[in-house]
Every structure is written in C-alpha cells, then in structure tokens.
Amino acid sequence: MDVYGLLGNPVTHSLSPPMHEAAYRELGIDARYVTFEPEPEALEAAITGADALGIRGLNMTIPFKREVLPLVELDELADRIGAVNTIDFDGRPTGHNTDAAGARRALEHHDVDVDGARAVLIGAGGAGRAIAFALADAGATVTIANRTEERAVELATAVPRATGHGLDDLNDLLANADVLVNATSVGMEEDRSPVPTEALTRHLTVMDIVYRPLETRLLRDAREAGAGTIDGAWMLLFQGVEAFERWTGQEAPVEVMNETLRGELSGESGAFK
Ligand code: ATR
C-alpha cells in the first residue's frame, strides 16, 4: 500500500484526504492519504522520516509551505514562487508548487483565457504569489493589490508585466480589468468582501480562493453584478489533481474528486462563526 499525506498545523478540517482517496478508489490504486501535524521545529525530521518510511508524496500547508524550502530540492516554478505545496519522494525529495497550475486549470476549466487579459489579483501571501506567476506565465498583465502595499510591490518586481498597489485604489484598478482573483482570507467564514460592490461589473470573471463558504460575499456580489464566478473549491480541486497526477503518473479522475469535494463542503454547516 502506498502512503501519501498532508503536513500542516493544524490540518483538522482538511478536505484533501477524502478527495485523494476517492481518486484512489476510482482508479483501483492501493493507497491511503493521511494528515500529519508535526510541531514546526520537527519539520526537517518529518521530511527525512517520510523519505525513510517510503511515503510517496506529501502536500504542505500552513505553516510549512515556505519553511520546507531549504529542506528539499526545488523545481523551477516552486523556486520562483518561493513556496512548496507538494513534495515527491521519487529520488531525492523534490518540492513543487501545484497551486499555480491549480489556479490556471480552474480558469481554463471555466473557459477563461487569460492570455492577453488584464488581471487584478488581491493578496500577496503564499497563495497570491503562486497565482501571480500562474497568471503572468499564461500571458496576463497582473495588477497586484495588497493590504500591505510593499508586499505587492515586492512581488510585482519578480513577476513579468506586474505592478503592485495597496487596496485603496481598487475601483480604479478594476475599471478595465477582465479577471479578478481574491487570494486573501477575507470572506472566510465571514460575510465580508475585499472589493467594493460598485467595482464589480458583468465584464469581469471573479475567482475566489476561499471555499468556506463556497459562495463568499465577493462571489455573491459578483454574481449579482452579472460577472462570471469561479468558487474556491475549483483551485483546491485542481491543485490536488496536479499533485495526484505528479505522484501517480496517471490522469486524475477529476469528476469524482470534484463531486467528493463538493459533497464534503455541502455537508458542512454554512453558518458564520
Ligand atoms: P496564504 O498563504 O493563504 O496566502 P498569507 O501568506 O498569510 O496566507 O497571506 C494572506 C493574504 O491575505 C495576504 O495578502 C494578507 O495581506 P497582508 O500581506 O497585508 O497581510 C491578506 N489579508 C489577510 N487578512 C486581510 C484583511 N483583513 N484585509 C485585507 N487583506 C488581508
């Protein structure tokens, strides 16, 4: 039996185990996907131990996506993004970033072509960095807006055709935009949007990375403005699909993984804390 897993702290409410195990069942792969919560100072021992035990692959989540950088080989994209969410142990442990491809595939799945598009990205944290590179590598011009403006400006220096801004000018920044992505935690288990309602138009496609709730305040406002919407479960799905395909070498059963994810999310209480 092959073992895959997720390292994070905390990982209690992770949807990755049911999503990946549904894929194993569908394809008849004898494998399990389990969560681990090492103390932050035990990360290096956890990676070495996982390698020694023959664990085939690990995902990384908060707080380990950056901390793991010096502990593994890096592929080119993970190195550029400066964050790892997927490690494979085939040979030397190597870190990849499937959040970027996850965002690209979520957009593609909705027939959104970002080549030549004007994209506004809110957020410059780990997820924001991956999405900024995904958008730029797919040919978009990326306007990065972040609460801490310096973080956006700094990220923009590393991303082709990008500029960095604070959140104050969102109305202006969105005036001619084609695509808007929220990569902040705003809207997670709270009825709040990072974008003024009046900045949303039917010309936009709006993607959120927040998936609890599935329809965030931002996506509700966008839908009511007539914009296209892509909820946060799509990026979660496709980063998992990418990790699955990298680890197993097989095409992922996307439908089954998607149904499992959405089934899990719809079974949760939608009430805000
Ligand atoms: P992740 O890895 O999930 O991206 P992160 O690196 O902590 O997490 O980044 C969180 C992002 O959400 C950042 O862009 C953060 O803005 P700052 O760089 O100014 O901290 C943004 N964020 C979090 N809470 C926010 C809030 N209340 N309003 C606006 N932006 C917020």
Side-chain angles (χ1 to χ4, degrees):
M1 184 184 69
D2 293 334
V3 177
Y4 298 91
L6 170 67
L7 255 60
N9 203 335
V11 288
T12 333
H13 300 295
S14 173
L15 297 166
S16 291
M19 174 170 69
H20 282 273
E21 293 200 342
Y24 305 149
R25 271 195 306 279
E26 177 70 12
L27 298 187
I29 297 171
D30 183 19
R32 293 295 308 272
Y33 186 106
V34 288
T35 57
F36 300 99
E37 273 188 11
E39 293 301 322
E41 57 275 14
L43 180 61
E44 183 166 9
I47 300 294
T48 308
D51 194 22
L53 291 171
I55 286 178
R56 299 288 299 268
L58 288 176
N59 284 132
M60 296 288 128
T61 187
I62 291 168
F64 298 132
K65 286 185 180 186
R66 287 180 76 82
E67 277 62 22
V68 78
L69 288 170
L71 306 178
V72 292
E73 304 277 308
L74 298 177
D75 77 5
E76 194 246 336
L77 184 60
D79 192 25
R80 272 201 297 154
I81 294 170
V84 162
N85 79 324
T86 301
I87 296 174
D88 78 63
F89 291 89
D90 189 12
R92 296 181 61 154
T94 304
H96 310 276
N97 190 306
T98 70
D99 285 334
R104 177 179 51 74
R105 287 180 69 167
L107 289 159
E108 276 171 14
H109 184 83
H110 291 83
D111 295 323
V112 179
D113 181 6
V114 297
D115 191 6
R118 286 158 300 193
V120 174
L121 168 68
I122 308 177
R129 291 185 66 87
I131 295 168
F133 284 102
L135 290 167
D137 288 353
T141 302
V142 190
T143 301
I144 306 164
N146 194 50
R147 178 178 61 181
T148 310
E149 184 172 354
E150 304 87 78
R151 249 182 133 185
V153 171
E154 195 221 302
L155 174 57
T157 61
V159 176
R161 295 181 308 284
T163 54
H165 311 263
L167 291 179
D168 291 345
D169 301 327
L170 262 185
N171 279 340
D172 291 341
L173 299 177
L174 278 165
N176 293 307
D178 306 299
V179 175
L180 166 66
V181 180
N182 174 44
T184 74
S185 50
V186 178
M188 195 191 303
E189 293 174 355
E190 59 174 2
D191 193 28
R192 209 156 67 79
S193 167
V195 182
T197 315
E198 65 274 13
L200 300 168
T201 70
R202 65 185 174 82
H203 304 292
L204 272 175
T205 298
V206 181
M207 180 160 93
D208 208 330
I209 70 159
V210 174
Y211 52 85
R212 287 186 173 111
L214 264 182
E215 186 172 67
T216 56
R217 172 76 167 269
L218 170 63
L219 292 186
R220 191 171 77 233
D221 289 348
R223 176 170 56 76
E224 286 169 1
T229 60
I230 302 173
D231 69 44
W234 291 107
M235 180 162 151
L236 178 65
L237 169 69
F238 281 113
Q239 64 74 33
V241 163
E242 283 280 325
F244 177 94
E245 292 181 344
R246 177 171 290 285
W247 289 329
T248 66
Q250 300 196 46
E251 196 177 318
V254 175
E255 278 297 306
V256 167
M257 293 170 79
N258 187 36
E259 278 164 24
T260 303
L261 254 190
R262 284 172 192 280
E264 294 279 332
L265 282 167
S266 67
E268 295 177 359
S269 157
F272 294 114
K273 278 183 187 155

